[in-house]
Each structure stands twice: as structure tokens, then as C-alpha cells.
Amino acid sequence: SALLAEFVQQRRACRGLSAAISAPISLFQHQVDTAARVLADPVMRYLFADEVGLGKTIEAGIVIRQLVSEDEGAAVLVLCPDSLLGQWKSELRDLLGLEAALQSPQLTVAPHESVRDLAASHREVLAHYDLVVVDEAHNLLPHLGAGSDLEAQFRRIDGFIALSATPMRGDLETFRRLLALVDPIAFGGTDSQSFRARIDERE
């Protein structure tokens, strides 16, 4: 009974996420809560905009771990700046226990600039992935081209998580395009002038 009580308490603490309870890392509650909210949402499109150091990579990693552990056929793509490739691979491998997934087609980590080559290899290449995670997402936009077919592909994929600690410190046009990627219904048809008006109203 003591074992059962401990197990129930752990399941409650991790919001029922087997990926969180089995990950070889100490997690903060806000990280578990964020991952649980994303995984419970039928529309899995989010912008993680926490400050630097609050664990955006770990939050996205728990979502990735849950997907690949539940479904051996799930495919996940992580796009990040070239300078962060090693960090992403090491955290997914060492902190989240995803070494086997990294060594298979199930989990791919690639630099931002490779996205054009991916698109050239197949017309709807992003549709192959159940989840696309983009770190420093505001820096991906120059590789897409405003109004391009590739940008449209990002708006159509089912699972999309963008990470950016500074989404509003750049110009408003970058922020508008980033939000249009994450939520094409609410922001896809917004032009620069109307977007600025919406920002002013929120402030």
C-alpha cells in the first residue's frame, strides 16, 4: 500500500505524463505543467517565451519524449541555430534519455538554414512530422521568406512549438510573422498596421 500511495503521488505530481516521471532529470512543476497543457491540447501550437534559464528546452523536451515514447512511428524535427546543435543533442540525449530516438529517423535535430534543403527534397516535407520544435524561432524567419510556400507549410503542420526568450525585442514585423506561424487563424491575415494597433491596445 505504501508503494501504491507513492506511485499515485508521483503520477499526480507529473500530471500523468510518463515522460516526466521517467526522465533522468529533476523537473520544476512549471515545466511539467507546461508540457501537460501542450500535450492535452488538440491544437498543439505554442510559443514558449519564458525568460532565459527557465527551462524552455526542457519543457519542449518533455513534450518530445512523451510523443516518441507513446508512438514508435512518431517523427519529430528540432530546428535551432547552428551554435546550439550540440547543446540540443546533448540535452535530449543526456537529460531526457532520447539517445535511441536521436539515432533513428524518429528524432532529427538540424540547423535553421537546413530548412530550405529539407523543403527542396520534398514538396510537403514538414507534413511528415508530428511535431516541429524551433528554438530561437525569430531567427528562423529569414530562412523562410515572407509569404513563401515554406512559411505556409509551417502554418499547416499539426504540432508546432516555437521557443523565443525575446519575441518582442526585435521589430514588430518579426513578432507578427512569428505569431502568424504559431497561430495562423488569429494572426495569419494581420498586416503590419493592424498588428501595431493590436499591440498598442494590449499595452
Side-chain angles (χ1 to χ4, degrees):
S1 62
L3 175 63
L4 180 59
E6 178 66 23
F7 181 71
V8 170
Q9 184 177 349
Q10 289 184 23
R11 292 282 290 185
R12 184 184 301 118
C14 74
R15 304 280 295 272
L17 298 182
S18 59
I21 201 169
S22 61
I25 184 175
S26 297
L27 297 168
F28 293 101
Q29 192 62 50
H30 76 273
Q31 295 170 331
V32 176
D33 293 342
T34 298
R37 178 176 178 180
V38 172
L39 287 161
D41 198 328
V43 182
M44 199 164 59
R45 303 185 66 88
Y46 281 82
L47 169 62
F48 292 178
D50 293 332
E51 293 288 341
V52 174
L54 289 183
K56 296 184 296 298
T57 304
I58 296 300
E59 291 166 354
I62 298 171
V63 176
I64 294 169
R65 180 177 166 84
Q66 188 73 33
L67 287 178
V68 301
S69 62
E70 283 184 346
D71 182 2
E72 292 183 357
V76 177
L77 172 65
V78 176
L79 295 170
C80 63
D82 190 63
S83 60
L84 296 179
L85 273 176
Q87 178 182 328
W88 263 97
K89 289 180 179 179
S90 66
E91 292 197 6
L92 290 171
R93 181 183 62 247
D94 302 331
L95 298 183
L96 291 153
L98 292 172
E99 184 172 5
L102 282 167
Q103 293 175 350
S104 74
Q106 193 176 26
L107 178 55
T108 303
V109 182
H112 285 165
E113 52 266 27
S114 70
V115 74
R116 291 186 183 224
D117 294 333
L118 284 171
S121 67
H122 193 283
R123 181 170 175 80
E124 287 289 334
V125 67
L126 295 181
H128 166 70
Y129 295 101
D130 298 279
L131 174 66
V132 176
V133 176
V134 182
D135 196 8
E136 299 289 334
H138 52 282
N139 290 327
L140 174 72
L141 296 174
H143 299 286
L144 300 185
S148 67
D149 178 68
L150 189 54
E151 188 174 58
Q153 282 192 53
F154 273 94
R155 296 184 183 191
R156 290 194 296 269
I157 52 181
D158 292 331
F160 179 63
I161 298 176
L163 283 65
S164 176
T166 57
M168 284 195 66
R169 292 185 186 174
D171 60 279
L172 278 181
E173 178 60 13
T174 297
F175 188 36
R176 182 192 69 79
R177 287 183 62 201
L178 180 56
L179 288 180
L181 277 188
V182 176
D183 191 345
I185 295 176
F187 295 98
T190 306
D191 59 26
S192 298
Q193 185 174 355
S194 61
F195 182 69
R196 179 176 290 278
R198 289 176 72 170
I199 292 293
D200 291 343
E201 288 169 3
R202 290 297 295 270
E203 290 180 350

